[in-house]
Amino acid sequence: GQQLNQSPQSMFIQEGEDVSMNCTSSSIFNTWLWYKQDPGEGPVLLIALYKAGELTSNGRLTAQFGITRKDSFLNISASIPSDVGIYFCAGQTGANNLFFGTGTRLTVIP
Amino acid sequence: DSGVTQTPKHLITATGQRVTLRCSPRSGDLSVYWYQQSLDQGLQFLIQYYNGEERAKGNILERFSAQQFPDLHSELNLSSLELGDSALYFCASSVGIAAVNEQFFGPGTRLTVL
């Protein structure tokens, strides 16, 4: 399947700091999605991006669809303890399949 | 609570056995997706059903099969289980047929194969 490289694998940050993570692929995607997974739960959609160059915000979260269509980033501003979890990027190609990155584990230190 | 239910929550079985995982989608959702999440692989898409019919296939092994019933619930059957099949299995549902429709994930079934 498609390979999505997500970085960093894990992050430890102080409460109030900004966070940035990204996702790259060797293939072009038509759609990029960002999910968050809390411990013991399934992933929850945070942001969906549908065209190259698109920049979308959802509260303290901002994500962009890279202009090459092979990458995306997610920023979280002014982190809070409940931001803890695993963040996954996911991309969709022309086929109706979603490919997920390996995740970024975020720890916020109060 | 996403509205997607999965049973059982935990399953422990032995190699060579067969198990069935069950998923009930959110009310009104016609698509059901199955994913496998293991520690070193992240989330892997297995298969999608839409209104009872198979719509998309991912990295699903031949030992695995799924179906969606007229009441829209779905079952994932795993047979001839191997140690490497130990993982979290998630079901997700969405209203439409396209994978980019927002998918709502269930809490998962943790399968342990001993």
Side-chain angles (χ1 to χ4, degrees), chain A residues 11 13-20 75-79:
Chain A
M11 302 180 75
I13 61 167
Q14 290 289 140
E15 182 177 356
E17 288 184 353
D18 296 344
V19 172
S20 185
N75 287 340
I76 305 173
S77 62
S79 58

Side-chain angles (χ1 to χ4, degrees), chain A residues 1 31 33 35 37 40-45 48 50 86 88 92 95-103 105, chain B residues 9 33 35 37 40-43 45 48 55-59 88 90 97-100 102-103 105-107:
Chain A
T31 304
L33 306 169
Y35 283 83
Q37 185 175 18
E41 308 275 338
V44 173
L45 182 66
Y50 297 106
I86 305 176
F88 291 99
Q92 190 220 5
N96 201 39
N97 291 1
L98 264 186
F99 297 94
F100 281 79
T102 48
R105 185 180 295 273
Chain B
K9 195 162 177 61
Y33 307 79
Y35 293 88
Q37 185 178 39
D40 58 347
Q41 293 280 336
L43 270 162
F45 168 68
Q48 177 202 5
R55 289 300 304 181
K57 232 172 181 176
N59 298 323
L88 264 171
F90 286 104
I97 201 169
V100 293
E102 182 170 0
Q103 296 184 28
F105 283 76

Side-chain angles (χ1 to χ4, degrees), chain A residues 40-44, chain B residues 1-7 9 22-35 72-74 89-95 102-109:
Chain A
E41 308 275 338
V44 173
Chain B
D1 185 351
S2 66
V4 178
T5 60
Q6 287 187 249
T7 57
K9 195 162 177 61
R22 183 188 168 101
C23 168
S24 292
R26 289 188 326 154
S27 176
D29 284 358
L30 298 179
S31 272
V32 170
Y33 307 79
W34 285 98
Y35 293 88
L72 301 177
H73 91 271
S74 178
Y89 290 84
F90 286 104
C91 163
S93 73
S94 68
V95 169
E102 182 170 0
Q103 296 184 28
F104 295 86
F105 283 76
T109 292

Side-chain angles (χ1 to χ4, degrees), chain A residues 11-86:
Chain A
M11 302 180 75
F12 291 80
I13 61 167
Q14 290 289 140
E15 182 177 356
E17 288 184 353
D18 296 344
V19 172
S20 185
M21 58 189 80
N22 65 47
C23 201
T24 59
S25 170
S26 57
S27 304
I28 288 173
F29 285 101
N30 296 330
T31 304
W32 283 95
L33 306 169
W34 284 92
Y35 283 83
K36 183 191 177 206
Q37 185 175 18
D38 290 328
E41 308 275 338
V44 173
L45 182 66
L46 298 174
I47 290 181
L49 302 157
Y50 297 106
K51 58 182 182 181
E54 181 180 351
L55 184 71
T56 296
S57 293
N58 178 7
R60 293 178 296 105
L61 276 59
T62 302
Q64 184 158 31
F65 191 144
I67 201 75
T68 65
R69 294 166 64 196
K70 293 183 178 181
D71 64 334
S72 177
F73 73 74
L74 174 70
N75 287 340
I76 305 173
S77 62
S79 58
I80 59 178
S82 62
D83 290 335
V84 164
I86 305 176

